Amino acid sequence: MLRTALRNVLAHKARLLMTTLAVLLGVAFVSGTLVFTSTISSAYQKSAEKGLTHVDVAIRPDNDAKAAGPGAAADLDQELLDQVAALPGADSAIGEASGFAALAGKDGKLVGGGFDSRGGNYFTGQNGSGEDTRYPMSEGRAPERTGEIALDARTAERTGYAVGDTVRISVNGPVREETVTGIFTTDDGNVAAGGTLVLFDNATAQSLYTAPGAYDQITVEAAGGTSQQQLKDAITALLPADAEAITGQQLADDQAEMINSQMSAMRTGLLAFAGIALFVGIFIIANTFTMLVAQRTKELALLRAVGASRRQVTRSVLIEALFVGLVAAVSGLLVGVGIAAGLRGLMNAFELTVPDGPLVITAATVIASLVVGVGVTMLAAYLPARRAAKIPPVAAMSSVHAAATTRGLLVRNTIGSILAAIGGVLVVAGINQDDQGATMGLGAAVLVVGVFVLTPLLSRPVIAAASPLLRIGGISGKLARLNAVRNPRRTAATASALMIGLTLITGMTVIAGSVQKAIDKLAAEAITADYVVSTANFSPMDPEIADTLTERSDVTAVSALRASPAYLAGTTKDEYLTGVDGDSIADLINLPFEEGSFDGLADGNAVVDTTTAEKHGWALGDTIGLTYADNATGELTISGLYEANEMIRGIILDNDTLTPHMQRVQDIQVMLSTTGGVSDAAKSALEEALGNNPAILVQDQQDISEDIAFIFTLMLNILYGLLAMAVVVAILGVINTLAMSVFERQQEIGMLRAIGLDRRGIKRMVRLESVVIALFGGVLGIGLGVFFGWAVGEMIRTGLDTYELVLPWGRMAVFLGLAALVGVLAALWPARRAAKLNMLMAIKSE
């Protein structure tokens, strides 16, 4: 039986090609994902470990043990640094002060992505002399005073800056012009990944990021003979209540865990799409082996007649699947390694740089590829193998094609109807349940399986509905319709592969379009200001920005938004307060008030959203007792209750009340209106007034909407790209089904040629059959996608009041057109092959 199975594989290698390709693509997706994420994870971990080479213990504020009151723990002071440096087990101690620093390139644009643009201090030791071992200078010297900076070598290379150049930098809003005094090298992981690092002298960095004489972290290197744990124990005895000591090893482990966690999310997402491609591939494999078995019914019956058991027949088909799976798995593994290398190169091309390092191919990746490739192939081939073994030898000898019984189809339709009904009920029930995702996900899976089981039943009415279109093809169109419904199970399996891809694509398009419209509507309803000013990475800004805008004669209303933590009376949990300009905020935002208004906010009152008020049992006129960030206590009187939205919620008070209690006065954003309203000229004037700062965004409502739209469009395009793999596999399935269908209908095609149907008519018949099958899958996929999009949207609506279902009719028409195009393209080779058949040889074939 082993020799028989091997002979069959070699005899049908051309027919098994599409099956092998389908499995290969799925395995390549799996192995490529595993290699890519392992490579990135390893590169970041090694880069992080290099950055911690001289760190045996790190001291940082402990936000879980705050002694200073609400908000973050206090910075570390110079006295603590001196005490730690004086410990017998400490060889050296470095104080660090760091934060955001946006560097403008020579073209005036922000270098890097904003979020990975960092600034820090060059620490020269306790007495101000010496070198910072973290940042060895390759050119020039370290910054020594305000107005001087040093750049990392990678940033200097890509921007073209050199020692002596003047550069523009923004740390918290206002533009700073600095002179480059040095270029340094670093093992910093952010820099290795394409970020920027700017160094200031110690005093300047402290004034920008912490406070004079304060640090946000202290790193200590142990003296010879002192272990990390011993040094940590000695340091812990010196620490205040709101600081903690962590060993370098623990830091490395924490960073490795964080990197693995981030890569795990990416890995899970990519593997999910690989799973979809493999699931679609199962239909192709099952179809292929079903047709191969049907074509070899007499051969299998003869094996049974000469003594082969049912188990041996099943085993021979599974052995064929094993060979196909092995070839596909090994090929897929090799292709996956190439995909991983290509993805890494693509990231570098788009300046999404990752640290240097080799491709990481683990034993787990190899095993997973082999198990997935072989397992999926054998699983899909099992039912055709079992079905082949059940055919009685005498029946098989007398008939090559045994049609499915009416009873078998009735059972299938009954099971499919039950599964579809259960799945639909679970999806709807999941909308209002606590475990929405789990219930809805289970329901979606059951519904898809139910529809798949029902597709033979659904194929007849859907294909019949396409009859008017097929009449255009004349007799070829009629034959195409009859061929499509002749074997409904095969048609269903082929169409289902395309259905799954289009279901996901349509569902995501519906959700993305609806959410985008909801957010646009939310922004339009909540913000009445002409412009919103913020930093590129949405970090806090210096109040100087708001002051500059307030002084302009063309600005009619301006309000800085500030945030500061506080404790409500009787609690020790942070409750954030939002500060605004009480005199102008009513002209800049639109909040529907249930009671009261913004009037009186400047007199020490506050407005609260109804959800927060209900949670604490507050009513209009009640007094709120609280402890501010500076530990001062105070009271606020509720002068208004408003309905919260996704952009504005919580306790809002006047900046004059909040600002005196803030540890560091900074603005989250600034809202303003101008005399001329929104215009390009007004926007340009505001940007010029702020120094054409690359780190500052001046946005109107349309800009905000476009930013949100860009994010959704980018995500949607990435998902389209990932799902394209499933669609490619589905196309292979249509090609495979048509090619094998042509092979088993050689005699029929020969007869059609003999009675007058020309080659062009044969090609048209095969193409129209392919288009009908593809459109059938497209209609089912779009229908299911709209249903799932509606269900997920109802779940989103519970947290986003402005959400409403938006059906993208244009895109759905495009998807249906693409399904038809898939049918045309998939039929090219099978149609050409059918037209080339020699009619006499075809009529003689069995």
Side-chain angles (χ1 to χ4, degrees):
M1 296 306 293
L2 179 63
R3 288 197 298 272
T4 301
L6 182 59
R7 178 183 61 79
N8 284 326
V9 171
L10 295 175
H12 302 120
K13 54 182 178 290
R15 295 180 224 172
L16 290 169
L17 176 62
M18 295 300 172
T19 298
T20 305
L21 281 175
V23 181
L24 182 152
L25 288 174
V27 173
F29 209 149
V30 171
S31 60
T33 295
L34 295 175
V35 171
F36 176 69
T37 53
S38 295
T39 298
I40 300 300
S41 179
S42 174
Y44 272 111
Q45 286 183 22
K46 289 180 179 178
S47 177
E49 288 170 2
K50 284 182 181 179
L52 296 172
T53 303
H54 302 293
V55 178
D56 290 307
V57 176
I59 307 168
R60 58 191 184 189
D62 183 5
N63 290 318
D64 294 328
K66 295 174 291 189
D75 291 322
L76 309 172
D77 57 27
Q78 184 67 42
E79 182 181 355
L80 177 60
L81 175 61
D82 294 338
Q83 290 175 346
V84 170
L87 286 173
D91 184 58
S92 64
I94 295 176
E96 299 180 3
S98 60
F100 174 66
L103 173 69
K106 290 187 175 181
D107 58 359
K109 296 181 181 178
L110 179 65
V111 178
F115 288 92
D116 50 10
S117 301
R118 303 290 295 171
N121 63 322
Y122 188 89
F123 187 80
T124 55
Q126 306 304 101
N127 56 7
S129 62
E131 298 180 352
D132 191 332
T133 56
R134 300 172 297 169
Y135 310 116
M137 290 290 158
S138 58
E139 297 179 43
R141 60 170 177 81
E144 297 174 352
R145 59 186 63 85
T146 299
E148 297 181 346
I149 62 159
L151 288 179
D152 70 87
R154 291 178 184 242
T155 298
E157 181 179 357
R158 63 174 165 160
T159 58
Y161 286 133
V163 173
D165 286 350
T166 298
V167 300
R168 299 170 71 245
I169 290 177
S170 176
V171 172
N172 54 3
V175 175
R176 303 169 60 91
E177 291 196 351
E178 314 277 356
T179 301
V180 178
T181 62
I183 308 293
F184 62 91
T185 58
T186 177
D187 292 324
D188 187 292
N190 267 342
V191 173
T196 62
L197 180 59
V198 176
L199 296 183
F200 301 92
D201 66 281
N202 195 61
T204 301
Q206 287 178 329
S207 66
L208 293 173
Y209 299 121
T210 55
Y215 303 94
D216 51 33
Q217 180 171 275
I218 296 173
T219 57
V220 190
E221 187 173 359
T226 302
S227 69
Q228 290 188 352
Q229 188 59 47
Q230 289 173 333
L231 181 58
K232 176 188 173 182
D233 292 340
I235 290 173
T236 301
L238 302 175
L239 296 182
D242 57 351
E244 62 178 344
I246 304 170
T247 63
Q249 184 60 52
Q250 183 62 50
L251 279 176
D253 293 342
D254 290 346
Q255 287 193 355
E257 184 179 347
M258 180 185 68
I259 292 168
N260 283 331
S261 175
Q262 293 171 344
M263 289 297 108
S264 176
M266 179 190 294
R267 188 183 299 115
T268 301
L270 292 175
L271 287 178
F273 288 97
I276 293 168
L278 286 166
F279 184 61
V280 172
I282 287 176
F283 295 108
I284 299 176
I285 301 164
N287 242 4
T288 301
F289 278 95
T290 297
M291 287 187 281
L292 285 176
V293 166
Q295 292 165 13
R296 286 164 32 212
T297 305
K298 284 188 176 181
E299 175 190 325
L300 296 174
L302 186 59
L303 287 173
R304 292 286 309 282
V306 297
S309 65
R310 285 186 176 185
R311 183 173 294 176
Q312 285 178 307
V313 171
T314 302
R315 192 182 301 143
S316 70
V317 178
L318 290 178
I319 290 173
E320 292 179 46
L322 173 64
F323 281 117
V324 172
L326 277 174
V327 171
V330 172
S331 304
L333 174 62
L334 297 176
V335 172
V337 173
I339 289 174
L343 282 174
R344 182 168 178 172
L346 191 64
M347 288 183 71
N348 291 334
F350 282 96
E351 294 188 356
L352 299 173
T353 315
V354 296
D356 297 329
L359 284 176
V360 178
I361 306 171
T362 64
T365 299
V366 176
I367 294 171
S369 300
L370 294 175
V371 169
V372 167
V374 174
V376 167
T377 309
M378 294 187 70
L379 176 66
Y382 176 71
L383 284 179
R386 191 165 175 267
R387 195 179 299 128
K390 281 186 174 182
I391 301 175
V394 175
M397 287 290 190
S398 61
S399 177
V400 176
H401 302 292
T405 64
T406 304
R407 180 176 177 275
L409 288 174
L410 179 62
V411 171
R412 175 174 179 144
N413 293 339
T414 302
I415 294 173
S417 299
I418 294 172
L419 288 175
I422 293 173
V425 169
L426 285 174
V427 169
V428 175
I431 293 173
N432 297 313
Q433 289 191 358
D434 292 335
D435 59 339
Q436 294 173 324
T439 303
M440 191 172 288
L442 176 62
V446 174
L447 179 56
V448 168
V449 172
V451 171
F452 165 65
V453 176
L454 279 174
T455 41
L457 176 65
L458 297 172
S459 63
R460 290 186 180 276
V462 174
I463 292 174
S467 296
L469 295 175
L470 293 175
R471 287 175 188 161
I472 300 173
I475 189 65
S476 296
K478 184 176 182 180
L479 289 170
R481 182 179 65 80
L482 294 174
N483 287 333
V485 298
R486 176 187 299 179
N487 192 330
R489 286 182 173 176
R490 183 186 303 169
T491 298
T494 306
S496 295
L498 189 60
M499 175 193 79
I500 293 169
L502 284 178
T503 295
L504 294 168
I505 289 173
T506 303
M508 289 187 301
T509 303
V510 169
I511 295 168
S514 300
V515 171
Q516 175 63 55
K517 184 173 181 180
I519 293 176
D520 288 350
K521 186 177 180 182
L522 178 65
E525 290 180 354
I527 300 175
T528 55
D530 292 335
Y531 296 99
V532 176
V533 180
S534 63
T535 59
N537 71 338
F538 304 103
S539 61
M541 299 182 296
D542 191 286
E544 183 181 327
I545 297 292
D547 294 340
T548 300
L549 295 171
T550 302
E551 292 171 0
R552 292 187 56 82
S553 59
D554 58 345
V555 173
T556 57
V558 60
S559 175
L561 265 68
R562 295 172 184 169
S564 180
Y567 290 159
L568 296 179
T571 69
T572 55
K573 183 179 180 181
D574 286 349
E575 183 82 31
Y576 271 80
L577 308 175
T578 300
V580 297
D581 186 304
D583 293 328
S584 59
I585 191 63
D587 299 324
L588 301 170
I589 62 175
N590 180 31
L591 288 180
F593 277 85
E594 283 196 0
E595 296 182 81
S597 67
F598 281 122
D599 294 340
L601 197 65
D603 299 326
N605 296 323
V607 295
V608 183
D609 70 271
T610 52
T611 303
T612 302
E614 184 178 347
K615 173 184 173 183
H616 295 287
W618 296 335
L620 188 70
D622 285 355
T623 299
I624 305 172
L626 47 78
T627 302
Y628 292 102
D630 61 351
N631 274 336
T633 58
E635 292 183 345
L636 296 172
T637 301
I638 299 177
S639 59
L641 297 174
Y642 67 90
E643 293 180 14
N645 55 50
E646 294 301 311
M647 302 182 72
I648 302 170
R649 62 180 61 245
I651 303 172
I652 301 176
L653 66 160
D654 190 84
N655 278 329
D656 288 342
T657 305
L658 179 64
T659 302
H661 303 292
M662 294 180 67
Q663 293 175 329
R664 189 178 182 90
V665 180
Q666 293 178 312
D667 298 334
I668 300 173
Q669 60 185 29
V670 178
M671 296 186 296
L672 69 141
S673 292
T674 60
T675 52
V678 176
S679 67
D680 292 339
K683 183 176 179 181
S684 297
L686 293 173
E687 289 175 338
E688 186 175 347
L690 297 175
N692 291 318
N693 191 332
I696 295 295
L697 299 177
V698 179
Q699 297 178 300
D700 57 31
Q701 286 184 13
Q702 184 179 351
D703 293 329
I704 294 172
S705 295
E706 287 177 356
D707 273 1
I708 297 171
F710 173 77
I711 294 170
F712 276 101
T713 302
L714 180 63
M715 291 177 61
L716 202 58
N717 288 338
I718 291 172
L719 294 175
Y720 283 165
L722 293 172
L723 284 173
M725 182 71 73
V727 176
V728 169
V729 173
I731 293 172
L732 294 177
V734 178
I735 295 172
N736 201 32
T737 299
L738 289 173
M740 299 191 76
S741 178
V742 166
F743 176 82
E744 68 181 25
R745 296 197 328 245
Q746 287 185 80
Q747 193 176 58
E748 175 189 320
I749 293 172
M751 289 295 295
L752 289 171
R753 290 288 313 282
I755 61 175
L757 192 63
D758 59 12
R759 290 186 173 182
R760 183 175 296 176
I762 294 293
K763 283 184 178 180
R764 188 184 304 121
M765 177 187 73
V766 176
R767 281 198 298 265
L768 288 174
E769 180 183 352
S770 177
V771 169
V772 165
I773 294 173
L775 284 175
F776 174 45
V779 168
L780 290 182
I782 291 173
L784 278 175
V786 169
F787 175 70
F788 291 144
W790 166 81
V792 174
E794 290 301 302
M795 186 171 66
I796 294 172
R797 189 195 298 274
T798 59
L800 187 59
D801 293 337
T802 55
Y803 183 91
E804 61 183 52
L805 182 66
V806 176
L807 292 181
W809 295 106
R811 289 205 178 191
M812 288 193 293
V814 170
F815 295 157
L816 204 58
L818 288 175
L821 180 61
V822 164
V824 173
L825 295 176
L828 290 177
W829 178 56
R832 191 162 175 262
R833 181 182 178 188
K836 281 189 171 185
L837 286 176
N838 183 296
M839 71 177 73
L840 295 179
M841 296 296 295
I843 293 172
K844 287 172 59 180
S845 66
E846 296 187 3

